Amino acid sequence: MSSAVDYRLYLVTDTGQCGDRGVVTTVRAAVAGGVTVVQVRAKDGGDRDRLALVRAVVDACAGTGVPVLVNDAVDVALLGGADGVHLGQSDLPADEVRTLLGPDRLLGLSVSTVAEIGAAPTGVLDYLGVGPVHATPTKTDAAAPLGADGVAALAAATDLPCVAIGGIHLDTIDPLRDTGIAGICVVSDICAAPDPEAAARALRTRWDRS
Amino acid sequence: MSSAVDYRLYLVTDTGQCGDRGVVTTVRAAVAGGVTVVQVRAKDGGDRDRLALVRAVVDACAGTGVPVLVNDAVDVALLGGADGVHLGQSDLPADEVRTLLGPDRLLGLSVSTVAEIGAAPTGVLDYLGVGPVHATPTKTDAAAPLGADGVAALAAATDLPCVAIGGIHLDTIDPLRDTGIAGICVVSDICAAPDPEAAARALRTRWDRS
């Protein structure tokens, strides 16, 4: 599956930012607007609710070709029928997670430094999330911002497709276009948007303009 | 494995209460003192640390016959080589977890009411944790205390072995002896004890006195 993945516009869900509209409605609209990958990130609450959410997002994306990944929770991803898992540096080791996921599911890892790229296991990852590009209120425990030059340095240090994350908005996309990344991750620009479909379309249009 | 499990003295670890001594040293001492089951509960921190802790506890219990269970995290249990998983009501559904664990690992579920026993899936659980017996500072989101009579009512409502949990100390064991439970769970009486081996021995002696 990994060779066919289109990483151009990667949505990470934030349940709180989706508000009363809910995550599933937001995802459906975002995919209609051009999101190419969805990662379900739900840090609060129990795994039972998390599983129900993942299943609902998987259903919402069925037939669209958009893969649904789960943040951290490999058990939830397996039971929920998700297409893969995204790991942070403090999550389970990627090579071990691969043994649970099998060869066909997607596996991504967040990295903030060239050293973390060097420490990543080879042959088990499908992509890297590089960031944060900018400081962001979404993730308060994040490393120092990379800026576009930092993103380019990380992308140059790996053969894996990279998606950039952290403070990416419509007006901060352009400097990322020549960094060698495969796509951009957004959270608030879609989840908190009054019209997530329009927001996704605007982001895709801006990113595709290259 | 389930038919051979000795549930008499079931330790749930609390990393903070184990303090500088650490969880592994505490577990080793507790097992030497008579603990018969260990559940690793580590709510804080990332899964990478949780996995390392589970592996260390599994190593510490190797050859003792004492099974090591993991709270909630099925992926951590599988990778860590644990003997099973303990689930709460907001965790993944037990019947689905059983599909990940396979038939041989232990699976337990916390219940606080007869209705929760009725709602539990049949044929997939090895034991129930019933509680809280008393109010406890360890678990601030717990249901109303059952008391010994409530414990007996829950134990009578299931054929599964039950372990009672919640505010059980040396001086509150006796009223539980005729409730039909298979054993008692303790957290602070062992984890926070100056001498966890002596604490476990005293608890086992008191429980076995029947």
Side-chain angles (χ1 to χ4, degrees), chain A residues 124-203:
Chain A
V124 300
L125 290 166
D126 293 290
Y127 75 94
L128 298 176
V130 302
V133 184
H134 304 288
T136 160
T138 308
K139 218 167 145 56
T140 51
D141 60 343
L146 294 166
D149 289 347
V151 169
L154 292 190
T158 178
D159 293 330
L160 292 171
C162 293
V163 290
I165 188 166
I168 298 178
H169 305 288
L170 198 57
D171 59 358
T172 61
I173 286 177
D174 289 351
L176 296 171
R177 198 170 284 121
D178 298 320
T179 56
I181 59 174
I184 51 171
C185 293
V186 293
V187 185
S188 53
D189 255 26
I190 291 178
C191 292
D195 182 342
E197 179 175 342
R201 186 165 291 118
L203 289 158

Side-chain angles (χ1 to χ4, degrees), chain A residues 2-75:
Chain A
S2 67
S3 62
V5 175
D6 176 352
Y7 290 102
R8 281 180 290 173
L9 183 56
Y10 182 127
L11 170 65
V12 179
T13 67
D14 182 303
T15 304
Q17 289 186 20
C18 290
D20 292 341
R21 181 173 61 214
V23 172
V24 176
T25 301
T26 304
V27 166
R28 200 176 277 119
V31 168
V35 156
T36 61
V37 179
V38 174
Q39 178 194 137
V40 178
R41 185 161 72 187
K43 293 290 191 183
D44 297 330
D47 279 343
R48 184 173 292 241
D49 291 346
R50 204 169 284 128
L51 175 62
L53 176 60
V54 167
R55 286 208 168 114
V57 171
V58 166
D59 284 349
C61 292
T64 65
V66 171
V68 176
L69 309 185
V70 174
N71 186 268
D72 300 1
V74 182
D75 41 13

Side-chain angles (χ1 to χ4, degrees), chain A residues 71-169:
Chain A
N71 186 268
D72 300 1
V74 182
D75 41 13
V76 173
L78 289 170
L79 291 177
D83 301 292
V85 168
H86 184 86
L87 299 169
Q89 290 288 321
S90 64
D91 295 327
L92 294 170
D95 49 350
E96 304 208 48
V97 169
R98 177 55 81 191
T99 67
L100 294 180
L101 284 183
D104 296 331
R105 284 193 173 85
L106 294 168
L107 186 56
L109 176 68
S110 295
V111 296
S112 297
T113 64
V114 171
E116 287 177 350
I117 292 177
T122 55
V124 300
L125 290 166
D126 293 290
Y127 75 94
L128 298 176
V130 302
V133 184
H134 304 288
T136 160
T138 308
K139 218 167 145 56
T140 51
D141 60 343
L146 294 166
D149 289 347
V151 169
L154 292 190
T158 178
D159 293 330
L160 292 171
C162 293
V163 290
I165 188 166
I168 298 178
H169 305 288

Side-chain angles (χ1 to χ4, degrees), chain B:
Chain B
M1 168 163 208
S2 68
S3 61
V5 175
D6 177 352
Y7 290 102
R8 279 180 291 173
L9 184 55
Y10 181 126
L11 170 65
V12 179
T13 68
D14 181 304
T15 304
Q17 289 186 20
C18 290
D20 292 342
R21 181 173 63 214
V23 172
V24 176
T25 300
T26 304
V27 165
R28 200 176 277 118
V31 168
V35 156
T36 60
V37 179
V38 174
Q39 179 195 136
V40 179
R41 184 160 73 188
K43 292 291 191 184
D44 297 332
D47 279 343
R48 183 173 293 242
D49 290 345
R50 204 168 284 129
L51 175 61
L53 176 60
V54 167
R55 285 207 169 114
V57 172
V58 167
D59 284 350
C61 293
T64 65
V66 170
V68 176
L69 309 185
V70 174
N71 188 267
D72 299 1
V74 183
D75 40 14
V76 173
L78 290 171
L79 291 176
D83 301 291
V85 169
H86 185 86
L87 299 169
Q89 289 288 322
S90 64
D91 295 328
L92 293 170
D95 50 349
E96 305 209 46
V97 169
R98 177 55 80 189
T99 67
L100 295 178
L101 285 183
D104 296 332
R105 284 193 174 86
L106 293 169
L107 185 56
L109 176 68
S110 294
V111 296
S112 297
T113 63
V114 171
E116 287 177 350
I117 292 178
T122 54
V124 300
L125 290 166
D126 293 291
Y127 74 93
L128 298 176
V130 302
V133 184
H134 304 287
T136 162
T138 308
K139 218 167 148 58
T140 51
D141 60 343
L146 294 167
D149 289 347
V151 169
L154 291 189
T158 178
D159 293 330
L160 292 170
C162 293
V163 290
I165 188 166
I168 298 178
H169 305 290
L170 199 57
D171 59 0
T172 61
I173 286 177
D174 289 350
L176 295 172
R177 198 171 284 120
D178 298 320
T179 57
I181 59 173
I184 52 171
C185 293
V186 293
V187 184
S188 54
D189 254 27
I190 291 177
C191 292
D195 182 342
E197 179 175 342
R201 185 165 293 120
L203 289 158
R204 255 298 287 280
T205 302
R206 180 70 70 112
W207 177 252
D208 287 351
R209 204 165 68 176
S210 59

